Amino acid sequence: MTLLEQYIAGWRAHDVAAILATLSPDCVVIESFGPIYRGHDWVARWVSTWLAEDGQVIDWTVHNLRSSPNDETAEWTFHYKWRGEEKSFDGATIAKLTDGKISYLREYATTAALYDWRGEFR
């Protein structure tokens, strides 16, 4: 299992320690919603706060994962519940690895439902 898969598994299990175990102590995590978390303390506060506000990862399915010694990338679908609302979106993650841990992780999210373009925009 790659580090990125382990990171995602930690989120699926709602396990702060498992998430932190994949990250370097001085990591930078950039969430697709905009916030930047620097280091274990801020990541732990973010995850704990999100879970305390009724955050639930319902499913996080990886569709395409690429891994090399220094980088991992993945496309995925994220299905979650937060503050009483259930939502889903497609996204991607770029992760840089240093000394066997994720040192930089950036997520990107689609902003609308995907569709095949047939001459008209939705």
Side-chain angles (χ1 to χ4, degrees):
M1 183 180 287
T2 69
L3 281 169
L4 192 50
E5 288 172 311
Q6 291 172 43
Y7 175 83
I8 290 170
W11 274 101
R12 283 188 193 124
H14 305 154
D15 186 338
V16 177
I19 293 166
L20 293 177
T22 67
L23 302 170
S24 66
D26 61 346
C27 65
V28 174
V29 177
I30 303 171
E31 189 181 10
S32 61
F33 295 103
I36 300 171
Y37 311 99
R38 298 179 193 276
H40 272 196
D41 290 344
W42 283 106
V43 171
R45 286 177 68 178
W46 159 47
V47 176
S48 296
T49 300
W50 191 80
L51 293 172
E53 292 184 12
D54 194 29
Q56 299 172 17
V57 176
I58 297 168
D59 189 37
W60 194 341
T61 302
V62 175
H63 303 291
N64 187 5
L65 175 69
R66 294 195 174 132
S67 182
S68 73
N70 298 317
D71 301 282
E72 293 182 2
T73 60
E75 294 177 273
W76 38 258
T77 301
F78 185 61
H79 184 192
Y80 69 102
K81 181 180 174 187
W82 188 59
R83 293 182 172 172
E85 286 191 59
E86 191 171 323
K87 295 183 180 181
S88 183
F89 63 90
D90 293 314
T93 299
I94 297 171
K96 298 197 182 298
L97 312 180
T98 304
D99 298 326
K101 298 287 183 182
I102 298 170
S103 57
Y104 173 88
L105 185 145
R106 182 157 185 177
E107 297 176 340
Y108 294 88
T110 56
T111 57
L114 301 177
Y115 65 97
D116 289 322
W117 190 70
R118 298 290 185 242
E120 293 186 31
F121 296 104
R122 291 185 188 170

